[in-house]
Amino acid sequence: MEHTKFEKIALIGIGLIGSSLARVIRRNDLADHIVVATRSAETLSDAQALGLGDSYTTSNAEAVADADLVIVSVPVGSSAAVAEDIAAHLKPGAIVTDVGSTKASVIEQMRPHMPVGVHFIPGHPIAGTERSGPSAGFAELFEGRWCILTPLEGTDPDALERLTRFWQACGSTVEAMDPAHHDMVLAIVSHLPHIIAYNIVGTADDLEAVTKSEVIKYSASGFRDFTRLAASDPTMWRDVCLHNRDAILEMLSRFSEDLASLQRAIRWGDGDKLFDLFSRTRAVRRSIVEAGQDVDAVDFGRQATRLPGE
Amino acid sequence: MEHTKFEKIALIGIGLIGSSLARVIRRNDLADHIVVATRSAETLSDAQALGLGDSYTTSNAEAVADADLVIVSVPVGSSAAVAEDIAAHLKPGAIVTDVGSTKASVIEQMRPHMPVGVHFIPGHPIAGTERSGPSAGFAELFEGRWCILTPLEGTDPDALERLTRFWQACGSTVEAMDPAHHDMVLAIVSHLPHIIAYNIVGTADDLEAVTKSEVIKYSASGFRDFTRLAASDPTMWRDVCLHNRDAILEMLSRFSEDLASLQRAIRWGDGDKLFDLFSRTRAVRRSIVEAGQDVDAVDFGRQATRLPGE
Ligand SMILES: NC(=O)c1ccc[n+]([C@@H]2O[C@H](COP(=O)([O-])OP(=O)(O)OC[C@H]3O[C@@H](n4cnc5c(N)ncnc54)[C@H](OP(=O)(O)O)[C@@H]3O)[C@@H](O)[C@H]2O)c1
Ligand SMILES: NC(=O)c1ccc[n+]([C@@H]2O[C@H](COP(=O)([O-])OP(=O)(O)OC[C@H]3O[C@@H](n4cnc5c(N)ncnc54)[C@H](OP(=O)(O)O)[C@@H]3O)[C@@H](O)[C@H]2O)c1
């Protein structure tokens, strides 16, 4: 895989995603040199202590000098600022990509700054966890997962091929998609679930008739499943909501309509309607397990990782 | 624990909960004789093949004869019918309990049929999985979990003490609660999460702009967490919705109000409001992990149970 190896990869942002990239690039020998850039001196020194790169800087401009691949892994709302920082310092022929959870907005923010001769190819690895920061990453994060690229019109096929091979070398399967379609798909499979999870945890937290300690104590009966998503990074998710607004509002309004109809069925005791919906949804889980996208184990295999005191 | 052992325990209903009880009763030697009763000959023969009891019958009346503990583990909507079946055949001094997920309705359905001299003490183990049927059970299900009892006025303290010791011998910690309060607490920690999960999976399944195969493929980015709850037994959940209607409607309306406000924040780009909510909910997860009610592992420890192909 000679062609996959880059001379110098610049990682801008070194949180969960950036640091997982650093680890897999190192492990699979995908670059001669990794330069790590992040905004704060604190995060940079954490990254340094973890030995994630070969050189370190808080200057995005400095980081991209001579880099043949630049990967931007920051909250999507910071994409324009990063693009501005780096634009004048990019090496001709360099590939610039990102990992942001929304695509149309990132493109709008970054494309105007990208100089001619630089290959800007937006991307989004469908891999993550509820943790954040440089210590949260791990080299296996992308293994067996999808990575969506949303190449723009006129993208150089060789650059696209090289970036595709890079993600494959990280363990992912690459899929190309139109940015608007990406944003619609992700709104339902990722953004709406997170928003709903945040919302229900907020609702429970606000009750007066049920104490917080009761919510915690009895959470194993369903509630706890939502708290994982609702423990995700607030900055990342604020930005996702602000930057995929239209698709999210569309999905939210469908969800709310359906919920109103379910509420009506409960109010009027329409058992058949409830039974029909509750039966139909079982098949979806089966398909997800069959597609290898979740474990086929009760309670997500929590039994394997025993709880304290059990 | 001499006092904990019963001569004859009748298990009415032998699905996930009933069969888990059968297994733990056997393993921990909590009865001299286990009689298994279920509605269908098919389920009864599955139970027999699994060796769950000492005797088997499709007659609830026959099952309770001479039993000193009767545990009803059927969908809550069938409680009245079971109570009618068994009423005339209960041994004086017997304890009758249940495991239903709603309490006020079960009490309303069963109490009128309970003869004087029989101790009716409703209960609800806060333990379960998304699986159902006799083969889904396991002896460890109740270990380290809570079991709520909702004793009625005038309950015999000795009978209550005996039932409490029984659940403790199954590995649970017993808590007493008022039935109406139980129904309110469970509406938020269990019923609403399941309803929301069923609803979002339904919404995703109905989209035209996003294909089912895309939903499945990219489900690891959040959606799959909901599909576990939405794969739960449709009959059980239809009955829960119909029999805890008021508390569920109350929680649903609070959830919807909160969601409308969140939707408004997204529409108007109110980043601070989003950030505040998304930060607040993190603390809830931390408390749940600290209370030993969930594993402290990324992705619920799915990493421990590797996905096929990973
Ligand atoms: N987490 C997931 O599950 C997941 C999955 C797929 C894609 N993504 C996307 O990946 C990107 C990074 O997410 P992550 O989970 O790796 O986040 P993270 O762990 O919170 O790390 C964020 C990184 O971005 C930097 N950063 C934060 N605010 C910034 C700003 N205003 N300007 C410049 N840099 C800033 C941080 O630097 P300092 O610490 O120095 O401030 C840090 O290096 C996001 O766009 C997200 O949408 C996330
Ligand atoms: N699953 C959970 O996570 C959980 C947790 C706590 C409490 N609970 C409560 O436990 C009870 C049983 O749930 P489960 O999960 O064990 O259910 P399950 O696995 O589906 O088993 C249900 C049992 O009830 C019998 N049954 C079904 N419909 C009946 C009817 N109309 N009349 C008489 N018997 C009937 C079934 O008999 P046949 O197969 O012979 O029809 C089977 O033996 C429910 O009240 C539920 O609310 C469940």
Side-chain angles (χ1 to χ4, degrees):
Chain A
M1 283 236 223
E2 194 45 46
H3 198 57
T4 303
K5 192 163 181 178
F6 289 89
E7 280 175 28
K8 184 173 173 184
I9 297 183
L11 298 176
I12 299 187
I14 195 73
L16 170 71
I17 302 294
S19 77
S20 293
L21 281 167
R23 289 172 171 97
V24 67
I25 290 166
R26 181 83 83 198
R27 192 193 62 183
N28 296 359
D29 193 27
L30 305 178
D32 293 326
H33 185 102
I34 301 171
V35 48
V36 169
T38 191
R39 185 178 52 161
S40 70
E42 201 189 326
T43 302
L44 195 69
S45 90
D46 289 349
Q48 196 153 8
L50 290 162
L52 295 172
D54 299 299
S55 60
Y56 301 86
T57 174
T58 52
S59 156
N60 295 333
E62 206 176 276
V64 303
D66 301 323
D68 42 358
L69 175 62
V70 176
I71 310 180
V72 180
S73 311
V74 303
V76 292
S78 308
S79 308
V82 169
E84 258 180 67
D85 277 357
I86 64 176
H89 308 271
L90 291 163
K91 175 168 123 172
I95 297 175
V96 176
T97 189
D98 79 308
V99 300
S101 304
T102 75
K103 295 274 59 77
S105 158
V106 167
I107 292 167
E108 208 175 286
Q109 292 180 64
M110 295 189 71
R111 180 157 57 173
H113 300 284
M114 290 297 116
V116 176
V118 161
H119 307 290
F120 172 51
I121 309 175
H124 179 203
I126 311 300
T129 76
E130 66 277 26
R131 307 279 166 95
S132 55
S135 63
F138 49 100
E140 300 76 19
L141 180 62
F142 310 107
E143 256 171 53
R145 304 258 73 101
W146 298 92
C147 180
I148 298 175
L149 297 180
T150 59
L152 308 171
E153 234 180 307
T155 294
D156 175 53
D158 286 345
L160 179 58
E161 171 68 17
R162 230 183 144 196
L163 186 60
T164 299
R165 292 231 214 137
F166 169 78
W167 278 108
Q168 288 167 344
C170 294
S172 298
T173 308
V174 176
E175 196 91 335
M177 213 182 262
D178 169 73
H181 189 64
H182 167 279
D183 288 356
M184 187 67 90
V185 172
L186 270 289
I188 186 72
V189 298
S190 176
H191 308 169
L192 186 63
H194 279 82
I195 290 165
I196 294 303
Y198 279 121
N199 193 67
I200 194 172
V201 176
T203 302
D205 203 40
D206 283 343
L207 296 174
E208 324 82 34
V210 177
T211 66
K212 287 192 211 316
S213 98
E214 286 172 322
V215 169
I216 306 294
K217 252 166 112 167
Y218 306 120
S219 61
S221 47
F223 183 73
R224 64 175 174 174
D225 280 19
F226 292 76
T227 60
R228 185 183 83 82
L229 297 180
S232 300
D233 189 66
T235 305
M236 165 181 166
W237 284 100
R238 176 201 61 198
D239 279 15
V240 168
C241 289
L242 298 177
H243 293 271
N244 195 20
R245 195 186 64 171
D246 294 347
I248 289 174
L249 289 175
E250 164 70 16
M251 293 305 165
L252 261 175
S253 88
R254 285 169 183 260
F255 173 86
S256 298
E257 262 173 41
D258 291 346
L259 192 63
S261 147
L262 184 49
Q263 189 164 349
R264 206 166 181 283
I266 293 172
R267 190 179 299 284
W268 295 100
D270 188 346
D272 291 344
K273 185 164 179 182
L274 297 172
F275 188 85
D276 284 351
L277 171 65
F278 298 173
S279 304
R280 178 154 73 92
T281 50
R282 267 195 155 170
V284 178
R285 171 121 194 113
R286 222 165 15 241
S287 307
I288 287 175
V289 169
E290 278 164 18
Q293 292 299 318
D294 207 344
V295 293
D296 184 21
V298 284
D299 271 336
F300 300 124
R302 283 178 178 118
Q303 309 293 334
T305 322
R306 298 295 282 174
L307 292 169
E310 278 187 310
Chain B
M1 282 231 224
E2 193 45 47
H3 198 58
T4 303
K5 193 163 179 179
F6 288 89
E7 281 176 25
K8 185 173 171 183
I9 298 183
L11 298 175
I12 300 188
I14 196 73
L16 170 71
I17 302 294
S19 76
S20 294
L21 281 167
R23 288 171 172 97
V24 68
I25 291 167
R26 180 83 83 198
R27 192 193 64 182
N28 296 359
D29 193 27
L30 305 178
D32 292 327
H33 186 101
I34 301 170
V35 48
V36 170
T38 191
R39 186 179 49 164
S40 71
E42 202 188 326
T43 303
L44 195 70
S45 90
D46 289 350
Q48 196 153 10
L50 291 161
L52 295 173
D54 298 300
S55 61
Y56 302 86
T57 174
T58 52
S59 156
N60 295 334
E62 206 176 277
V64 301
D66 301 322
D68 41 357
L69 176 62
V70 175
I71 310 180
V72 179
S73 312
V74 303
V76 291
S78 309
S79 308
V82 169
E84 259 180 66
D85 277 358
I86 62 175
H89 309 271
L90 290 164
K91 177 168 123 170
I95 298 174
V96 176
T97 189
D98 78 306
V99 300
S101 303
T102 75
K103 296 272 59 80
S105 159
V106 167
I107 292 168
E108 207 177 287
Q109 291 180 65
M110 294 188 72
R111 180 157 57 172
H113 299 285
M114 289 298 117
V116 178
V118 160
H119 307 290
F120 173 51
I121 309 175
H124 179 203
I126 311 300
T129 76
E130 67 276 26
R131 307 281 164 95
S132 55
S135 62
F138 49 99
E140 300 77 19
L141 180 62
F142 310 106
E143 255 170 56
R145 305 260 71 101
W146 298 92
C147 180
I148 298 175
L149 298 180
T150 59
L152 308 172
E153 232 179 307
T155 294
D156 176 53
D158 286 346
L160 179 59
E161 171 68 18
R162 231 183 144 194
L163 186 60
T164 300
R165 293 229 212 137
F166 169 79
W167 278 109
Q168 288 167 345
C170 293
S172 298
T173 307
V174 176
E175 195 92 334
M177 211 181 262
D178 169 75
H181 188 64
H182 167 280
D183 288 356
M184 189 67 90
V185 172
L186 270 288
I188 186 70
V189 297
S190 176
H191 308 168
L192 187 63
H194 279 82
I195 289 166
I196 294 305
Y198 279 121
N199 194 68
I200 195 172
V201 176
T203 302
D205 202 42
D206 283 343
L207 296 172
E208 324 81 36
V210 177
T211 66
K212 287 190 210 319
S213 98
E214 285 172 323
V215 170
I216 305 293
K217 253 166 110 165
Y218 305 120
S219 61
S221 47
F223 183 71
R224 64 175 175 172
D225 280 17
F226 291 77
T227 61
R228 184 184 84 81
L229 296 181
S232 301
D233 189 66
T235 305
M236 166 181 165
W237 284 100
R238 177 201 62 199
D239 279 14
V240 168
C241 289
L242 298 177
H243 292 271
N244 194 21
R245 196 187 64 171
D246 295 346
I248 289 173
L249 289 176
E250 164 70 17
M251 294 304 165
L252 262 174
S253 87
R254 283 167 184 261
F255 173 88
S256 298
E257 261 173 41
D258 292 345
L259 192 62
S261 147
L262 185 48
Q263 188 163 349
R264 205 165 182 284
I266 294 172
R267 189 178 303 282
W268 295 99
D270 186 347
D272 291 343
K273 185 166 179 177
L274 297 173
F275 188 84
D276 284 350
L277 171 66
F278 298 173
S279 304
R280 179 155 70 92
T281 51
R282 266 194 155 171
V284 178
R285 170 122 194 112
R286 223 167 11 243
S287 307
I288 287 176
V289 169
E290 278 163 18
Q293 292 300 317
D294 207 343
V295 293
D296 184 23
V298 284
D299 271 335
F300 300 123
R302 282 177 178 117
Q303 310 292 336
T305 322
R306 299 294 284 174
L307 292 169
E310 276 185 314

